[in-house]
Amino acid sequence: MESIYNKSFDELVSYFESIGQKKFKATQVFEWLYIKRVKFFDEMSNIKKDIIDRLKEDYVIEDISLEKVERDIEVNKYLFTLNDGNHIESVLMRHDYGNSICISSQVGCNMGCRFCESGRLKKVRDLDAYEIVQQILMIEDDIKERITHVVVMGIGEPFDNYDNVMRFVKIINENKGIGIGSRHITISTCGLIPGIKKFMEESGQVNLAISLHAPNDEIRNKIMPISKVYKIDDLLRVIREYIDRTNRRVTFEYILLDGVNDMDECAVELGKILKGMNCYVNLIPYNETENISFKRTKNHQIMKFYDILKKKNINVTIRKEFGGKVDAACGQLRAKKKGEL
Ligand code: SF4
């Protein structure tokens, strides 16, 4: 049976209409699920028993379960077990502007980025929307605080699970439920052009981030197999179109890997290809893992790379490092759980 957390508000309205009930039942159910956080339909005390019975026939209130939390001052890393025994993870980062979480959209990932634990373990399956929603609910329950920002950049490629991810966005964006504003939600893709084109039409105010990680196809091919399918020129052409059409700024994620993509000439080339674009570049110091041989770029080179981009008038930041004590590189907890490390 389907999880009721899979349903957007509009879908619940249609459901209640289809069973001869008033639309406002959808508001009541959303409040019970997302504000009061009940675990059983029977707890929805302002809904009549015959409707509760019908809900029980059609849906389940399905949870994922919390397997493990690693806690540090500004970051918590969560490992969840899904109902079929698979594992996913999410990371909570406490910023001065609020609580941000990085969540998973698939079990494993088929994109095969060479620097990534999740890519190493391959995709097992897509997540349903409710399994993505549940990551937020469970973390809010754990910290007893609201999540203010969501980035879909954990395990998985969101545009390889497009429909469920967009359904998830609709659910958490709904004011009668969790109510996370579109501008506080970011979808990060490794560059699936068909997904970006679709997103361009449907994203509203939701942010787009691109995992670029190289200034040209030659380097990108070595670390991101997807670039053999979607060339960097085509990718940038579509991003320019996205910016023109949506008037939204795009973020380019750039993981700095020692001796691979962090040389001065890479920064110069990156500045050149992004010139004049409404974007900003997020430089990410690499979080080393035991299984992957890439090394973190030295601090002085990170600063040099940053300075070169700055001088080329590119908006650039260096991502604060949360990693270290908790296994914060994407996919590490899950990999450990699978006994692969
Ligand atoms: S970096 Fe993202 S897209 Fe690439 S393999 Fe890892 S999870 Fe997949």
Side-chain angles (χ1 to χ4, degrees), residues 236 240 266-276 309 312 314:
L236 293 177
R240 285 201 170 84
C266 292
V268 171
E269 195 175 354
L270 187 62
K272 213 164 153 187
I273 62 170
L274 300 184
K275 192 174 170 208
L309 287 175
K312 292 195 165 291
I314 303 288

Side-chain angles (χ1 to χ4, degrees), residues 249-267:
R249 186 164 74 168
V250 166
T251 300
F252 289 101
E253 310 286 354
Y254 197 105
I255 289 181
L256 289 162
L257 304 166
D258 187 33
V260 177
N261 64 355
D262 67 346
M263 295 76 88
D264 295 358
E265 57 270 27
C266 292

Side-chain angles (χ1 to χ4, degrees), residues 109 111-113 115-116 118-119 154-157 190 330:
C109 183
M111 300 302 125
C113 304
F115 47 80
C116 173
S118 304
I155 300 172
E157 160 54 52
C190 67
C330 168

Side-chain angles (χ1 to χ4, degrees), residues 18 45 51 125 140 142 151 163 187 202 210 212 225 244 252 268 272 320 341:
S18 77
S45 56
I51 304 174
R125 69 170 173 88
E140 285 193 342
D142 178 58
V151 187
D163 290 344
I187 311 291
E202 303 170 1
I210 306 290
L212 192 64
D244 283 349
F252 289 101
V268 171
K272 213 164 153 187
K320 189 172 167 184
L341 287 177

Side-chain angles (χ1 to χ4, degrees), residues 28-39:
Q28 291 177 323
V29 167
F30 247 60
E31 282 174 4
W32 282 113
L33 292 174
Y34 296 108
I35 312 287
K36 296 169 190 156
R37 306 277 166 95
V38 296
K39 300 284 179 212

Side-chain angles (χ1 to χ4, degrees), residues 59-288:
Y59 299 109
V60 286
I61 297 185
E62 208 167 5
D63 284 342
I64 59 177
S65 52
L66 182 54
E67 173 89 22
K68 184 180 175 187
V69 191
E70 292 187 354
R71 299 178 198 276
D72 208 333
I73 300 162
E74 294 173 307
V75 59
N76 288 356
K77 181 115 189 209
Y78 294 85
L79 180 70
F80 295 107
T81 306
L82 307 176
N83 291 327
D84 61 0
N86 277 305
H87 296 96
I88 51 166
E89 46 185 88
S90 320
V91 181
L92 164 77
M93 290 154 288
R94 294 178 188 276
H95 296 281
D96 44 10
Y97 56 78
N99 291 320
S100 168
I101 62 168
C102 178
I103 56 175
S104 299
S105 57
Q106 296 178 314
V107 180
C109 183
N110 274 348
M111 300 302 125
C113 304
R114 304 275 183 254
F115 47 80
C116 173
E117 280 289 346
S118 304
R120 191 173 65 82
L121 294 179
K122 302 286 178 234
K123 177 172 115 174
V124 177
R125 69 170 173 88
D126 291 332
L127 293 188
D128 272 347
Y130 88 88
E131 293 167 314
I132 316 178
V133 171
Q134 281 284 329
Q135 295 171 61
I136 298 179
L137 298 180
M138 306 264 319
I139 292 176
E140 285 193 342
D141 285 352
D142 178 58
I143 61 172
K144 312 277 184 289
E145 288 173 40
R146 297 297 312 277
I147 300 296
T148 56
H149 294 70
V150 174
V151 187
V152 188
M153 201 167 94
I155 300 172
E157 160 54 52
F159 288 165
D160 188 38
N161 185 16
Y162 187 91
D163 290 344
N164 286 327
V165 167
M166 293 310 279
R167 178 182 286 256
F168 152 80
V169 166
K170 238 176 146 184
I171 293 169
I172 65 163
N173 189 221
E174 174 55 54
N175 274 330
K176 294 179 181 73
I178 307 177
I180 298 177
S182 304
R183 286 167 180 263
H184 288 187
I185 303 169
T186 302
I187 311 291
S188 177
T189 175
C190 67
L192 299 192
I193 289 179
I196 298 170
K197 285 184 172 167
K198 247 174 128 183
F199 187 74
M200 188 164 14
E201 307 298 330
E202 303 170 1
S203 61
Q205 303 290 306
V206 176
N207 302 304
L208 176 67
I210 306 290
S211 297
L212 192 64
H213 308 319
N216 57 50
D217 285 326
E218 199 191 332
I219 299 176
R220 210 163 182 260
N221 284 344
K222 287 184 195 153
I223 55 177
M224 299 181 75
I226 194 67
S227 77
K228 291 181 182 139
V229 183
Y230 302 113
K231 305 278 173 224
I232 211 163
D233 283 352
D234 297 330
L235 179 59
L236 293 177
R237 197 173 308 118
V238 137
I239 299 299
R240 285 201 170 84
E241 192 188 333
Y242 168 88
I243 294 169
D244 283 349
R245 291 270 288 279
T246 63
N247 228 359
R248 308 278 304 146
R249 186 164 74 168
V250 166
T251 300
F252 289 101
E253 310 286 354
Y254 197 105
I255 289 181
L256 289 162
L257 304 166
D258 187 33
V260 177
N261 64 355
D262 67 346
M263 295 76 88
D264 295 358
E265 57 270 27
C266 292
V268 171
E269 195 175 354
L270 187 62
K272 213 164 153 187
I273 62 170
L274 300 184
K275 192 174 170 208
M277 202 185 272
N278 182 16
C279 68
Y280 90 87
V281 175
N282 190 20
L283 298 177
I284 306 172
Y286 185 55
N287 203 334
E288 293 175 14

